Amino acid sequence: MPESSVSPTRLNVKPPEPAIPTAHAGDTEQEELVGEAIFAGPDGHVATGRQLAPEQDSDDVLKPNCWELLLYGETFGSCCPCLTFFAIGWLFFLVLIITLAIGGNSLFSFEEHVMTGNLQVQQYFAHMACLRDSVQGCRDHNHSTEERCVRDKECQWDEERYECQNLEVSCSKSSLLRPREAMLESEFGSGFVMVFYEAQNGANILDSDILALIHKFEKELLTTVNGAKTKRDKETESYEILPWDEDYCMLTYPDYEGAAGKCRAVQSLMNLFSMTDHGRQSIKNQVENGFTSAGPLSCICSDDAQCSICNADGSLKGASMSNPVLAWPADVGTCVSRWLSLESNTAAPSSANNSDCDESGAEAGRAGRSGANLELIPMLQQHCLSNQSCQWSPPEASQMCSSTAFYHATDGNGLVAGQERENVLQKLCDPKSRWHIAAQNVLKLQCDSDPYAQVARTQFAAGGTNESEEFDHFKQLYVMGHAGWLARARLLEEAIEKESKDKLRILLIPGAAIMEEYLGLLGRDALLSIGSLLMVWFYMWFTFESCFLALCGIFEIIFSLPVAWCILIYVFQKQIFWYQVLCIYMILGIGADDVFILHDAWVQSAYQAKEISKDPTIRFAWAYRKSFHAMAITSATTCGSFLIGALSPLPQVQGFCIFAAIVVFVDWIFCVTFFASALHVHEKVFKGWALMVCCQSQVREPGQCLGPGCCCGGFRAMLTCGGRHWKMMPKPVSGGRPQPRAMEKFFSEQLFNFHLKFSKILLLFWFFFACGMGVSAGLLLRPATKQPPMGREHIDVTRATELSREFGKKQLQLSSISFGLHVEDPIEEWSETRNIPRYGGSAASDLKMQQKQLELLQLCKASDLGDDVSRTRCMTKKCLIMGSALPQECNPDQITWKTRGIYMPADILCNTGRYCIMEDIANFWAFNQGNCSGQGHNCTGPGCSWDDLLSVCHSNSLPGDYPGLDESVFMDLLASDEWTTYLTGKAQYLRENGRSWDADDGLMTGIRLNAEKTDITSAWISYNASAEYQETIDQANEWLARWTSFKTTHGPTLGGFQTMPLYVFLATQNELLKAAASGIGFSLLITYIVLLAATMNFWTATIGLITVGAITTAFVGLLPLVGWSLGDNECIFLIATVGLSVDYTVHLLHSYSSAEGTSREKVQHALAGMGISVANSAITTLLAACVLFQCGFYVFFQFGGFIFMVIALSILMSTNLLMPLLLHFGPEAEQGMLPCRKRKAARVTEEVIT
C-alpha cells in the first residue's frame, strides 16, 4: 500500500456509532456518515475517521493506475479481464490432466521417502542396497535396468515390481499342487481372511463368555457362513448355497499318495481352547491318517503328557540297544514301522502337463522325508532330553503331536472348562512351552498376573488353482454377492456383537474385498470434501448475497491447486504426493479470508466520501489498494512459514511445504486478479438480476423469493416470513443511511464495550492460559513412538489394518554389522527404484587376515554370554539380543553336524540370536578336516571317527578349534565350488527341517567376493535385536549406545558400521524435533519482519508477535491434551501454525495502524472495519474443518482437527487478546514509529504547511 502524503488534521470526534451498509444498498451517492471521528485534509476534503482513504495524495486517490483500470474493464472491456483469468485457470487444469494422462503413475509418489542427508539413514539403506547386490542371478546389480535384464535370455522384466527376475520355468505351479492346496490369489487380491476380536469395556478375550461367543462365531463362519449364497454365473440371478468348508477352504493332504484332502487348520485361538478329550481324539485320528508334518515321530504321542518312550531322567528307552524300538511300547513300534514302510514306498509323481518338470518338486519334497528313519533315534533322544510333552496338541503347539488338518469348527466339540481351562491358561503363559509360541501368533497376551488379552486374531484362506477366472468367480459371485459371503458374515458379526452386550468387537477383513473397502472409504471421504466446498460456497453466497461472486470465490480457491501442481511438476520437477490434497482444506480458509477482505473493502467503498464513492473506478481503486496490502502481508507471512518448512531434510515435510507455499501464492494471485475483476462483472452484469441476465428476472423486494440474499432470496424469505416480520434480521433500506449488519454491530458495540470493561481480566486469562499451554507442551509433548493409524478406530477396515500392524511388531528386527561400505559416504546414488551403494575402505578386505577372522568369530559368539551383567541375550526386551538366556552356545544337533557339517540347535526352542558367516566358515572347515565324510566304512583317516548308529564317518574337529587361516588358504576356501555347494545345501536342509528363518539366502549374513574371487568386497553379520522398530528418542539413543559398546568391546579393531531399522526412525524423530522448533522460530521471525514492514511501527509489530506467539504456544500445548505426539503430520502442523494464525492478527493490526486517534478509537475502528471480515473467514474455515471430522482416514480427520484448533484459537485470541493489548499498550500518534517513517511524516507535514 503506498505511503501517505497527507497527514489529516482532526476536526471533531463524536461518540462512535459505526454504520456499515449492507451489500444490497442502492447505487446513489450516499450522504457522509455521521457519528464518526471526522478528519479534514488541507484541501477541505472530509473523510470518516473510521477508515482513512488509502494513504496517498488527494490527487492520487482519485486517479486509478493502469493495472486497476485493466482489472475494472476500462481497458479491454468489462468482462475481458475476468474471462481471461478464468480461461487461464482452465488452461492450467487441462495441462495438468494431459500431463497426468501422459506421465501416469510416474508422476505420483505413494512411498515415504527417507532423509538422504543423515549418515545413519545412509548407512542403513547402503547396507540394504549391498544385500540386494549380493543376490545372484537375474536380480543382481548387473540386471538393475530393463535394458540389461532383457539382454539375458534367462531373465525377464517384471513391470509390476519394477525388477528383473528369473525366467519362469515351463512347469506351472498348479501342475505340482493338488486341488485347493494353494491359497487362492491374484494380482487384484487374495482368498486370505483375517478376523480380529477386540475386547471392550474392561472385558478379557480369555473370559469364558467371550471365548464362547468367538467359538460360536467361528463355528458358523468356517462352515455355512450364515447361509452365504453364490450366483451360478454372472448372467443369471439363480443362487446356490456353498458352505465354506465344502467348497472353498484351503486343503491339506496326507504325506502319502492317493488320499483325499481336508480343510487346513485355521490359525485361531479356538484351537488352543478346543483341546477337550474329543478334540485330542480328532487330532489323533487325523495324524494316524497322515495329516502330520512329523511323520514317524508322531508315533510317540498319546493322551498323556508323559512320553512312553522316555525314562524319568530324560533319556530314551533302549538308547543303548542296537534297535531301541524293541524297548518301546508295542503300539509305538508298530506305528513307526508302518510310517517307514509308507515313506519307502512313496514315489514322486511326474508332471502330466510337462515332461521337463523337475521331479524334485512339491511331491518329491514330501516324499523326501523318507530319510527320517536315519535320524529318528537321535531326534527322539533330544526330545526326551528337552522334557517336551507327548500329549496330542492343537496346531502350532507341538512339533510332533499335532495335526495339519484340525478344523476346530467341525473337529472340535466345545471348549475346555474347569481344571482343563486353567491348565491351558498356564501353558499359554509358560515361555518354555510351545503353547506360548502358538499363543503369540493369535493373541496380544499379557501374563503379569492373571492372563489377559484385549485382542485376538484368526487367519485362514480359500484354496484354488490361482487361475484368474477362478478368483474372479470367487470374489464377484461369492464374496461380494448380494447374499454372498461378506454380507452374510457381516450379519453374523453384528448378531454376535449384539449378544456380547458391547464386550466384544469383531473385525472381519477378507483379502478379496479389502481394496473395495478402502476405495469405498476413500470415495466417502471424497464426497465429504465436496460437501466441505459446498458449505463454503453456500456461506459465501449467504454473505455476498450473490451466487456469481460465491462461485468465483470458490473457483479461485479450487483452481489454485492445478496451477500449483503444474508449477510443482514443470518448474520444481517434483512428484505429486497424496497428502498434498490436504492443502485444499488449508487454502479454503486462506482463500476465503482474501475473498472476504476484498469484498468487504468493495462494499465499504460505496459509503466513503463523495470523492471516492461517486466514481466506480475510483471506488475500485480505493478498495483494491486497501485490501491488496492486507492480503499481501498475510500471504507473504504464510508463504514464508511454509518456505521455512521447505528447507527441512524430511521429504514429507519438505514436499508438503513447497506445494503449500505455491498454493498460497497462486491463490493470492487469483484473488487480486480474477476475483477482483469479478467484482466489476457482478456490478455491471449480474447485480439486480435474480437468476441470470438471460432470464430477464429482476430482483424483487427483500424478503421475497427471487429477492436479494442467499439462495435467490429464499433464506431471507424464510427468516422473515416472506418479508412480513423483520425480527430475525434487519430490513435492508434502498437509500439513505443503511443499517449495520448484525455482526458489524456485535464487533463495534458489544465486543468493544466488553473489552473496555473486562480487558484486564482478559489479559490475565490469556496470560495464564498461554503459560499453562507452554507447560503442557514442555512436560507432555513427546516424539511419536509409532506411525499414525490408517483410519478412525470405529471403521473396521482401518482398525483391522492397525491391529495387523501391531501384530507385525512382534517380528524381530535385525541389527547388522556391515563391512566393505564407505563409512562416511556410503550411498553413491539415491534412486526411486534401486539405491547404489558406495564400496570403500579396508574393513571387508581385512577379514582375510587371520587375526580379523578370529576377531569376527569372537564378535559373533559374544551373544553366547547370555543374560550377563551387560544383558547381552535373553528372551525379554531388557537384553540387547533376543535369544536363549543361558550363557552358553545352544547344543548342536549331532545328526545334522556329523552327517552334513551344518550347525542346527538340537532344541528347537534354543535360539542363538545371531547369523554369522564366519561361523559357517568355521563349521565348513571343521567338517572337512581329514576328508572323513568321503571315507565311508573305511574310517581310518587321522581325526576321523565312525558312528555306528548313524553309519557315518565324521571329523573329530569342532568349529571351536578353528585357528584362522592364511589369507591365500582363506580365499581359496571362499572361491571353491565346495563352499558354494555347502551353503546351498545348508539352506535347503534348514527349510526341510522347519528352520526356514535360518535359511536366509544371504540376507542376514554373507560374504561377497570381487569378480576375480581374489578379495572380499563386502561382508555382514546380523543379530536378532530386542528393540522394536519404533521407540522413544531416549530409548532409541540407549539402544544405539548399547550396540556401539557391544561392537567396540567384542570387535575393537574391526571396521565397518552397525545399523538397524530403528536408527532410521531415530534420525527421523530427531529431525522432527529440529524441524518443528526451527520452523516455529523462523516463522515467528518472518512474521515480525513482515509486520514491521507493513506497519512501520516496532511497537505494533511486537504486540502482533506476542499475539501470534501466544496462539502458537496454545496450539502446541493442546497437542498432547488431545492425544497427539510429534510425528510427520504434527511437524507439518507446527510449521503451518504460524502462517495460518497470523492472518486475523495482521488484518486487525493493519486496520488499527491505518486509523487515527487514541488507542481506544483505533481499536474500535479495527473491530468495526475488519471484525466482520475475519469472522466470516474464520466461520468459513471452521465449517470446512468440521466436515473433515466425519472422514474415515485418520490423516483427514487429524488435519481437520489441526485447522479447527488453529483457526478457533486465532479468531478468539486475535479479537480477545490482541484488542485488549492494543487498548492498554497500543501506540498512538508517532509512538513506536520507525525513524524512516517519522522523517517521511515530517516531510509530508512540511509540504502540507507549505
Side-chain angles (χ1 to χ4, degrees):
M1 184 172 179
E3 299 295 337
S4 173
S5 58
V6 176
S7 180
T9 304
R10 188 164 182 227
L11 297 179
N12 180 32
V13 178
K14 298 181 181 181
E17 295 178 3
I20 301 178
T22 53
H24 67 276
D27 297 329
T28 61
E29 295 182 4
Q30 304 296 322
E31 298 178 357
E32 297 174 5
L33 300 179
V34 294
E36 299 271 341
I38 307 298
F39 300 90
D43 58 354
H45 165 69
V46 179
T48 65
R50 177 185 196 198
Q51 173 68 52
L52 294 177
E55 300 172 1
Q56 295 186 7
D57 297 327
S58 58
D59 294 337
D60 292 338
V61 168
L62 305 177
K63 189 176 180 180
N65 58 37
C66 295
W67 174 249
E68 292 162 348
L69 291 174
L70 172 67
L71 291 177
Y72 198 70
E74 295 293 323
T75 306
F76 297 107
S78 298
C79 298
C80 284
C82 183
L83 291 177
T84 299
F85 296 122
F86 183 75
I88 290 174
W90 275 104
L91 177 63
F92 274 97
F93 178 75
L94 293 176
V95 169
L96 178 64
I97 295 298
I98 295 172
T99 302
L100 296 179
I102 296 175
N105 293 335
S106 63
L107 296 176
F108 294 89
S109 178
F110 298 96
E111 299 179 356
E112 294 189 1
H113 292 236
V114 298
M115 290 190 305
T116 58
N118 183 274
L119 180 58
Q120 290 178 331
V121 175
Q122 292 176 2
Q123 289 178 343
Y124 173 75
F125 283 95
H127 173 67
M128 299 306 294
C130 175
L131 297 186
R132 184 208 67 214
D133 286 351
S134 68
V135 176
Q136 302 296 318
C138 297
R139 295 178 62 189
D140 65 10
H141 65 287
N142 294 321
H143 298 77
S144 58
T145 65
E146 182 177 5
E147 181 181 2
R148 294 178 179 178
C149 180
V150 296
R151 290 177 184 171
D152 193 330
K153 295 182 180 180
E154 297 182 356
C155 303
Q156 62 182 1
W157 184 257
D158 190 325
E159 290 289 350
E160 181 179 353
R161 298 183 178 180
Y162 204 75
E163 66 180 12
C164 193
Q165 295 187 347
N166 294 328
L167 190 65
E168 293 183 359
V169 296
S170 56
C171 264
S172 65
K173 185 178 179 180
S174 59
S175 66
L176 299 175
L177 296 172
R178 290 169 282 194
R180 285 165 47 193
E181 191 174 12
M183 182 174 68
L184 185 61
E185 58 184 340
S186 77
E187 58 181 334
F188 303 107
S190 71
F192 189 72
V193 179
M194 281 194 303
V195 186
F196 288 95
Y197 305 96
E198 189 171 16
Q200 297 181 325
N201 299 321
N204 185 352
I205 287 289
L206 301 178
D207 290 342
S208 298
D209 56 339
I210 301 296
L211 290 175
L213 290 173
I214 296 176
H215 178 260
K216 180 179 179 180
F217 175 76
E218 292 194 359
K219 189 174 182 66
E220 185 73 19
L221 181 69
L222 296 172
T223 52
T224 63
V225 199
N226 199 24
K229 301 177 181 179
T230 184
K231 282 186 178 182
R232 293 184 181 275
D233 52 62
K234 294 182 179 180
E235 287 73 23
T236 66
E237 291 297 326
S238 59
Y239 293 86
E240 62 178 327
I241 296 178
L242 294 180
W244 178 271
D245 58 324
E246 295 181 12
D247 296 273
Y248 286 107
C249 70
M250 189 173 171
L251 300 180
T252 182
Y253 289 84
D255 269 359
Y256 53 85
E257 287 303 308
K262 190 180 182 303
C263 286
R264 182 182 294 272
V266 174
Q267 189 180 68
S268 170
L269 174 65
M270 292 299 99
N271 291 339
L272 304 175
F273 286 89
S274 296
M275 287 298 98
T276 61
D277 292 339
H278 181 275
R280 286 191 291 271
Q281 185 63 40
S282 296
I283 288 180
K284 177 182 179 181
N285 296 336
Q286 291 166 6
V287 170
E288 290 177 351
N289 290 324
F291 291 99
T292 178
S293 59
L297 295 174
S298 62
C299 294
I300 67 173
C301 303
S302 64
D303 293 332
D304 298 325
Q306 181 64 37
C307 293
S308 59
I309 63 170
C310 299
N311 295 313
D313 60 356
S315 61
L316 178 67
K317 292 181 179 179
S320 59
M321 300 172 56
S322 59
N323 187 3
V325 178
L326 298 177
W328 300 347
D331 57 336
V332 176
T334 303
C335 174
V336 170
S337 300
R338 180 174 63 85
W339 267 103
L340 296 181
S341 175
L342 285 173
E343 288 187 339
S344 63
N345 294 329
T346 301
S350 61
S351 172
N353 297 332
N354 195 311
S355 58
D356 294 332
C357 290
D358 186 2
E359 293 188 359
S360 62
E363 297 290 348
R366 283 188 291 269
R369 298 194 188 98
S370 59
N373 56 348
L374 179 67
E375 306 167 1
L376 179 62
I377 304 302
M379 292 182 70
L380 291 177
Q381 282 182 311
Q382 185 60 43
H383 179 79
C384 291
L385 185 62
S386 62
N387 196 28
Q388 291 293 312
S389 172
C390 286
Q391 189 177 40
W392 298 114
S393 303
E396 300 184 3
S398 175
Q399 185 179 10
M400 300 179 181
C401 302
S402 183
S403 166
T404 59
F406 181 72
Y407 201 68
H408 70 83
T410 55
D411 299 332
N413 184 22
L415 303 179
V416 294
Q419 187 58 46
E420 282 190 324
R421 169 183 159 81
E422 295 301 321
N423 293 340
V424 170
L425 293 175
Q426 184 178 358
K427 293 177 183 177
L428 297 185
C429 290
D430 183 3
K432 298 180 180 180
S433 171
R434 287 189 62 90
W435 285 63
H436 179 75
I437 298 175
Q440 293 297 317
N441 294 326
V442 295
L443 278 175
K444 294 183 67 176
L445 185 62
Q446 299 177 16
C447 295
D448 297 334
S449 55
D450 294 332
Y452 173 80
Q454 186 180 6
V455 179
R457 177 179 65 177
T458 293
Q459 300 181 105
F460 57 98
T465 58
N466 289 326
E467 296 179 0
S468 58
E469 292 183 359
E470 183 183 17
F471 181 80
D472 182 64
H473 184 281
F474 169 76
K475 177 179 178 179
Q476 301 297 334
L477 304 185
Y478 182 61
V479 174
M480 305 297 295
H482 175 69
W485 184 89
L486 184 58
R488 302 302 298 178
R490 288 280 162 81
L491 291 176
L492 178 62
E493 172 187 320
E494 292 176 5
I496 296 296
E497 288 180 342
K498 184 177 180 180
E499 186 177 349
S500 73
K501 298 179 180 180
D502 296 329
K503 289 185 178 181
L504 179 66
R505 181 184 179 187
I506 303 176
L507 309 172
L508 178 65
I509 306 299
I514 192 169
M515 183 61 68
E516 282 71 13
E517 295 270 345
Y518 271 106
L519 289 177
L521 184 59
L522 184 61
R524 176 177 173 273
D525 286 358
L527 289 177
L528 287 172
S529 302
I530 297 174
S532 180
L533 293 174
L534 289 175
M535 290 184 67
V536 173
W537 175 61
F538 272 114
Y539 188 79
M540 285 185 176
W541 192 359
F542 167 76
T543 305
F544 298 159
E545 297 193 345
S546 168
C547 180
F548 171 75
L549 286 180
L551 287 173
C552 291
I554 285 294
F555 171 85
E556 70 95 359
I557 292 172
I558 295 177
F559 271 67
S560 60
L561 290 174
V563 176
W565 269 317
C566 288
I567 295 174
L568 187 75
I569 293 172
Y570 288 105
V571 178
F572 290 91
Q573 300 293 308
K574 298 284 187 178
Q575 289 181 303
I576 297 175
F577 294 90
W578 66 269
Y579 48 81
Q580 292 170 351
V581 179
L582 295 172
C583 283
I584 191 171
Y585 301 103
M586 180 193 68
I587 206 63
L588 272 175
I590 297 174
D593 177 59
D594 292 345
V595 166
F596 283 120
I597 294 297
L598 182 54
H599 179 265
D600 284 341
W602 169 250
V603 172
Q604 293 172 14
S605 67
Y607 307 100
Q608 299 301 312
K610 292 181 180 180
E611 287 80 358
I612 296 175
S613 61
K614 67 181 180 180
D615 189 330
T617 57
I618 296 176
R619 272 188 64 198
F620 180 81
W622 184 91
Y624 189 77
R625 296 176 192 182
K626 175 179 180 291
S627 57
F628 185 93
H629 193 195
M631 292 186 296
I633 294 172
T634 56
S635 298
T637 308
T638 307
C639 284
S641 298
F642 282 120
L643 289 177
I644 293 298
L647 301 177
S648 171
L650 293 169
Q652 294 87 344
V653 175
Q654 183 188 81
F656 181 87
C657 289
I658 290 176
F659 182 73
I662 298 172
V663 169
V664 172
F665 176 75
V666 172
D667 176 79
W668 175 72
I669 293 294
F670 267 110
C671 188
V672 299
T673 55
F674 169 72
F675 189 76
S677 60
L679 290 173
H680 170 66
V681 174
H682 173 260
E683 193 77 12
K684 285 287 187 180
V685 180
F686 292 101
K687 189 174 182 179
W689 300 95
L691 298 175
M692 299 295 292
V693 177
C694 59
C695 300
Q696 298 296 312
S697 175
Q698 291 186 337
V699 173
R700 298 178 181 177
E701 290 296 322
Q704 298 180 7
C705 288
L706 300 183
C710 176
C711 306
C712 301
F715 184 78
R716 180 178 279 132
M718 180 180 64
L719 292 181
T720 62
C721 298
R724 294 188 295 271
H725 303 286
W726 292 92
K727 295 182 180 180
M728 301 288 293
M729 57 194 314
K731 183 177 181 179
V733 294
S734 58
R737 182 179 180 182
Q739 294 293 321
R741 288 170 284 186
M743 195 177 295
E744 290 167 336
K745 293 177 65 177
F746 169 77
F747 278 102
S748 62
E749 297 176 8
Q750 286 96 332
L751 185 60
F752 176 70
N753 292 330
F754 177 78
H755 287 162
L756 289 178
K757 188 175 182 180
F758 300 105
S759 58
K760 293 181 180 179
I761 296 177
L762 285 173
L763 289 177
L764 285 175
F765 169 78
W766 289 117
F767 173 78
F768 286 112
F769 178 78
C771 291
M773 292 299 98
V775 172
S776 170
L779 297 180
L780 303 178
L781 185 60
R782 292 292 181 267
T785 57
K786 62 179 181 180
Q787 295 178 345
M790 285 284 294
R792 310 282 297 281
E793 282 201 1
H794 69 275
I795 299 175
D796 283 4
V797 64
T798 56
R799 178 58 180 162
T801 302
E802 180 67 14
L803 291 176
S804 180
R805 185 187 298 173
E806 292 293 329
F807 270 92
K809 287 183 179 179
K810 296 179 181 179
Q811 298 178 356
L812 296 175
Q813 65 172 319
L814 291 178
S815 173
S816 302
I817 299 178
S818 185
F819 308 92
L821 293 170
H822 198 287
V823 176
E824 299 298 330
D825 188 17
I827 289 288
E828 182 174 332
E829 179 182 343
W830 290 95
S831 171
E832 290 287 334
T833 54
R834 289 174 178 266
N835 300 321
I836 300 177
R838 176 178 282 109
Y839 296 94
S842 61
S845 181
D846 288 348
L847 295 179
K848 302 192 305 289
M849 301 168 56
Q850 184 178 12
Q851 177 190 353
K852 300 294 184 180
Q853 297 171 33
L854 296 177
E855 189 173 351
L856 180 58
L857 200 59
Q858 173 186 322
L859 179 62
C860 293
K861 293 186 176 182
S863 64
D864 289 334
L865 294 173
D867 193 3
D868 59 347
V869 177
S870 300
R871 298 289 176 83
T872 302
R873 185 182 70 189
C874 64
M875 292 300 295
T876 64
K877 190 178 176 181
K878 65 181 181 181
C879 291
L880 194 66
I881 301 170
M882 185 67 71
S884 175
L886 297 176
Q888 63 183 38
E889 183 179 10
C890 296
N891 294 325
D893 179 72
Q894 292 298 322
I895 303 168
T896 306
W897 167 248
K898 292 180 179 179
T899 57
R900 292 175 172 84
I902 297 173
Y903 170 79
M904 185 176 75
D907 184 0
I908 193 173
L909 297 179
C910 188
N911 190 348
T912 64
R914 64 176 181 266
Y915 311 92
C916 181
I917 190 67
M918 197 64 229
E919 287 188 288
D920 289 332
I921 294 173
N923 293 336
F924 178 74
W925 170 86
F927 179 72
N928 286 282
Q929 289 301 298
N931 192 25
C932 301
S933 60
Q935 296 183 18
H937 290 276
N938 187 23
C939 189
T940 57
C944 297
S945 298
W946 177 257
D947 190 302
D948 294 326
L949 183 62
L950 299 176
S951 299
V952 64
C953 184
H954 62 87
S955 172
N956 292 329
S957 298
L958 298 175
D961 301 330
Y962 181 74
L965 305 178
D966 292 337
E967 292 188 20
S968 59
V969 177
F970 186 73
M971 290 306 304
D972 289 342
L973 183 152
L974 297 180
S976 66
D977 293 336
E978 291 80 7
W979 166 247
T980 304
T981 303
Y982 171 80
L983 291 180
T984 304
K986 172 196 168 187
Q988 181 179 354
Y989 182 82
L990 291 175
R991 289 194 190 95
E992 290 177 354
N993 285 270
R995 298 189 68 92
S996 57
W997 59 87
D998 284 333
D1000 60 284
D1001 290 329
L1003 296 179
M1004 291 178 281
T1005 185
I1007 197 166
R1008 185 180 173 206
L1009 309 181
N1010 60 6
E1012 296 78 17
K1013 296 186 177 182
T1014 58
D1015 200 1
I1016 302 174
T1017 58
S1018 61
W1020 56 98
I1021 61 175
S1022 300
Y1023 302 87
N1024 289 332
S1026 299
E1028 296 184 3
Y1029 283 88
Q1030 296 176 350
E1031 303 265 9
T1032 65
I1033 288 183
D1034 292 339
Q1035 291 171 334
N1037 282 322
E1038 182 181 354
W1039 287 118
L1040 174 61
R1042 291 181 65 183
W1043 275 109
T1044 302
S1045 174
F1046 176 81
K1047 180 180 181 298
T1048 303
T1049 301
H1050 302 290
T1053 66
L1054 294 176
F1057 57 82
Q1058 181 267 332
T1059 186
M1060 59 194 301
L1062 176 63
Y1063 295 167
V1064 178
F1065 182 76
L1066 172 62
T1068 302
Q1069 294 306 302
N1070 284 329
E1071 194 56 46
L1072 282 175
L1073 290 175
K1074 295 178 184 177
S1078 62
I1080 291 176
F1082 282 111
S1083 295
L1084 289 174
L1085 178 62
I1086 290 176
T1087 298
Y1088 187 74
I1089 293 173
V1090 173
L1091 287 174
L1092 200 61
T1095 62
M1096 302 299 291
N1097 190 303
F1098 75 88
W1099 200 325
T1100 305
T1102 302
I1103 292 176
L1105 181 66
I1106 292 173
T1107 304
V1108 176
I1111 296 171
T1112 305
T1113 302
F1115 173 71
V1116 176
L1118 283 176
L1119 290 183
L1121 299 182
V1122 297
W1124 294 359
S1125 52
L1126 190 58
D1128 287 353
N1129 296 344
E1130 290 81 5
C1131 181
I1132 294 174
F1133 297 162
L1134 292 178
I1135 292 174
T1137 297
V1138 177
L1140 288 181
S1141 62
V1142 75
D1143 287 9
Y1144 308 145
T1145 299
V1146 168
H1147 290 319
L1148 291 169
L1149 280 177
H1150 180 260
S1151 182
Y1152 178 92
S1153 300
S1154 65
E1156 295 289 341
T1158 65
S1159 60
R1160 176 178 296 187
E1161 293 164 348
K1162 295 170 75 172
V1163 165
Q1164 186 175 23
H1165 165 264
L1167 287 173
M1170 198 58 68
I1172 187 172
S1173 299
V1174 297
N1176 282 329
S1177 173
I1179 292 172
T1180 305
T1181 311
L1182 292 175
L1183 286 175
C1186 287
V1187 176
L1188 289 178
F1189 291 152
Q1190 305 303 317
C1191 288
F1193 284 103
Y1194 183 76
V1195 65
F1196 294 125
F1197 169 80
Q1198 192 179 31
F1199 198 79
F1202 157 66
I1203 294 289
F1204 190 91
M1205 286 190 289
V1206 170
I1207 297 302
L1209 289 171
S1210 298
I1211 190 64
L1212 288 174
M1213 299 181 77
S1214 61
T1215 55
N1216 294 285
L1217 172 61
L1218 176 63
M1219 294 295 99
L1221 282 172
L1222 291 173
L1223 275 175
H1224 289 279
F1225 309 105
E1228 299 178 359
E1230 294 184 354
Q1231 288 179 338
M1233 191 179 293
L1234 295 180
C1236 59
R1237 180 66 181 270
K1238 288 183 179 180
R1239 289 193 296 270
K1240 186 170 184 178
R1243 186 174 64 253
V1244 169
T1245 302
E1246 183 180 350
E1247 292 175 357
V1248 170
I1249 295 175
T1250 303

